[in-house]
Amino acid sequence: MNFTDSGTYKVGDNSYPVQQGDVIFGNVGELHEIHSDYDTEIGTYCFGIQNVYFRGLPLNYLIPAESSHVRASGSLFPLLESLCEQIDCLNAGNAWERLTAQLMLFVLVLLSSRLPDEVQRCEMMHGSQLATRVKAYIDAHYTENITLESIAQAMGCSVPYLSHIFKEASGYAPIQYVIRRRIGFAQTWLISSDLPATKIAMMAGYDNTNYFNTLFKRTVGVSPIRYRKQYLESLRGMRDQK
């Protein structure tokens, strides 16, 4: 379990946004890693537990595999943080202190495993905060194979709820915003390079050039080739002219 600042937690094929006060779970055998949103490493408390059995779960599973691996501690954060500090300190002591640390860790696990999961947390999150996180996620991944479902999974939200909140805040449906980011990316490359439109389409995230051309013309008003030609004509063939 980790107490974090801000970043992304990846476990298996799933990614979760994390922030200060979150508790992160990793069951036995699950590949996981955490990345900071900043240049500095994320500050964490990490504890490994073995020979744990909860009714209805496999041995050494703290939570069901299909549930969210990130839980917001909310008002319990000061208590859980204090427990972590004491466990970390006592575990370096004598045998009795280590035993006390183990008992306190058991209490920590019981409290943490009953925190609301990420879907509940998402739907309790302030709308503008969620919209900001969705925008940041799209800005970082828009050239990848991104779908409404993958965005919702990354945010830990239901698709309808995420779509409603983002459109209300931005005026665009999430996938409309993805398209606008991709077309903007393509526009930049069309006027700043000699790369063929088919290559730029692939760089922007489109394998189907015809579909890319259709979206580009619908968004910009002209085809990619015509857009480049108009730009060059406006500069009389000199891209660097000011």
Side-chain angles (χ1 to χ4, degrees):
M1 293 184 293
N2 303 269
F3 286 74
T4 76
D5 293 324
S6 177
T8 302
Y9 179 66
K10 295 184 178 181
V11 54
D13 296 327
N14 297 319
S15 296
Y16 303 93
V18 293
Q19 58 189 4
Q20 187 178 39
D22 284 349
V23 181
I24 302 173
F25 293 89
N27 293 319
V28 63
E30 292 178 333
L31 297 177
H32 59 276
E33 57 183 339
I34 187 166
H35 299 283
S36 174
D37 286 341
Y38 306 97
D39 293 334
T40 56
E41 293 185 6
I42 288 179
T44 64
Y45 285 106
C46 273
F47 302 110
I49 309 171
Q50 62 181 358
N51 298 323
V52 175
Y53 176 74
F54 287 107
R55 183 177 298 175
L57 295 177
L59 181 65
N60 290 326
Y61 269 56
L62 300 177
I63 57 172
E66 66 277 7
S67 70
S68 173
H69 286 57
V70 175
R71 310 288 173 92
S73 59
S75 60
L76 284 178
F77 177 58
L79 171 61
L80 299 184
E81 183 180 35
S82 176
L83 280 172
C84 285
E85 291 174 349
Q86 294 179 61
I87 292 168
D88 191 48
C89 180
L90 290 170
N91 197 50
N94 58 40
W96 284 107
E97 290 174 332
R98 290 196 300 274
L99 177 60
T100 302
Q102 292 172 14
L103 294 173
M104 293 176 70
L105 181 56
F106 182 69
V107 172
L108 178 66
V109 170
L110 287 179
L111 288 172
S112 301
S113 62
R114 284 159 177 75
L115 292 170
D117 67 20
E118 184 70 6
V119 172
Q120 294 170 300
R121 169 190 166 189
C122 174
E123 300 195 356
M124 292 187 297
M125 191 184 301
H126 192 277
S128 61
Q129 182 185 6
L130 174 60
T132 297
R133 296 181 74 172
V134 172
K135 180 181 181 298
Y137 181 84
I138 293 175
D139 288 343
H141 300 281
Y142 66 89
T143 60
E144 302 171 11
N145 184 25
I146 192 171
T147 64
L148 185 56
E149 289 72 19
S150 67
I151 299 170
Q153 183 182 52
M155 296 295 106
C157 293
S158 65
V159 168
Y161 182 76
L162 181 143
S163 297
H164 170 73
I165 292 298
F166 188 79
K167 187 168 185 177
E168 188 177 68
S170 68
Y172 300 104
I175 295 304
Q176 287 179 317
Y177 182 67
V178 171
I179 292 171
R180 292 182 68 86
R181 290 290 281 132
R182 286 179 169 182
I183 297 304
F185 173 89
Q187 287 177 278
T188 299
W189 279 94
L190 283 166
I191 66 176
S192 63
S193 77
D194 294 319
L195 291 174
T198 52
K199 174 65 175 178
I200 294 173
M202 293 184 65
M203 291 167 57
Y206 294 108
D207 294 330
N208 187 320
T209 304
N210 290 333
Y211 182 56
F212 165 72
N213 289 339
T214 299
L215 289 177
F216 192 97
K217 188 171 183 178
R218 184 186 303 165
T219 304
V220 181
V222 295
S223 69
I225 300 303
R226 182 61 183 164
Y227 177 79
R228 172 181 274 168
K229 184 177 180 180
Q230 287 179 344
Y231 178 79
L232 293 178
E233 287 175 350
S234 70
L235 297 183
R236 298 179 182 177
M238 298 174 60
R239 286 200 182 98
D240 294 330
Q241 180 176 325
K242 296 183 180 180

